């Protein structure tokens, strides 16, 4: 995963630039800038951010929350997703039909891949329902969600 650029000199940048993770001047150490948003941090600071986030296949910018890379989740066991095609219409997409997706989740205990293994979690606001227009692109997006 290469989502940042290394800077060995900050001479072209504003000398008063500050790393928003540690609040030290960026000119004092090697810095990196994130590819998607351009925000700059000390290399060691962005590595610390990555080590404390869920999953290591992405970087979430501490400044603007932009995701660099691919963020994957760790859904608890017991969750289910059901779908059905429906003749109804989603507003703004007349005559397309729709796909209705229902997500269910039950209360449980966090597993090893979760932030607090062994502690309970509560599945509030479930079940949830989503409505997608039946467009070729949307159906492709839906099947991609199913794989995840």
């Amino acid at each position: 995963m290469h989502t940042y650029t290394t800077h060995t000199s900050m001479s072209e940048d504003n000398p008063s630039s500050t790393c928003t993770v540690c609040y030290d001047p960026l000119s004092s150490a090697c810095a990196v800038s994130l590819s998607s948003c351009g925000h700059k941090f000390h290399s060691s600071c962005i590595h610390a951010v990555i080590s404390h986030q869920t999953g290591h296949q992405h970087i979430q910018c501490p400044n603007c929350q932009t995701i660099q890379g691919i963020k994957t989740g760790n859904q608890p066991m017991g969750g289910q997703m059901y779908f059905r095609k429906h003749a109804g219409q989603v507003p703004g997409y007349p005559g397309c039909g729709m796909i209705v997706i229902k997500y269910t989740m039950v209360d449980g205990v966090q597993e090893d891949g979760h932030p607090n293994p062994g502690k309970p979690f509560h599945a509030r606001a479930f079940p949830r329902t989503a409505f997608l227009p039946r467009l070729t692109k949307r159906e492709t997006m839906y099947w991609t969600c199913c794989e995840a």
Side-chain angles (χ1 to χ4, degrees), residues 50-107:
I50 294 167
S51 70
H52 287 94
Q53 69 186 16
T54 303
H56 300 287
Q57 299 300 314
H58 74 287
I59 301 171
Q60 185 165 354
C61 177
N63 291 355
C64 65
Q65 306 306 309
T66 299
I67 303 292
Q68 335 276 319
I70 299 172
K71 184 175 183 178
T72 57
N74 54 357
Q75 177 179 316
M77 298 300 290
Q80 296 182 339
M81 181 174 79
Y82 305 96
F83 78 96
R84 64 186 170 94
K85 295 178 181 178
H86 191 279
Q89 297 180 33
V90 176
Y93 296 90
C96 291
M98 73 170 92
I99 299 171
V100 180
I101 307 169
K102 183 177 180 179
Y103 302 93
T104 60
M105 189 68 57
V106 295
D107 294 350

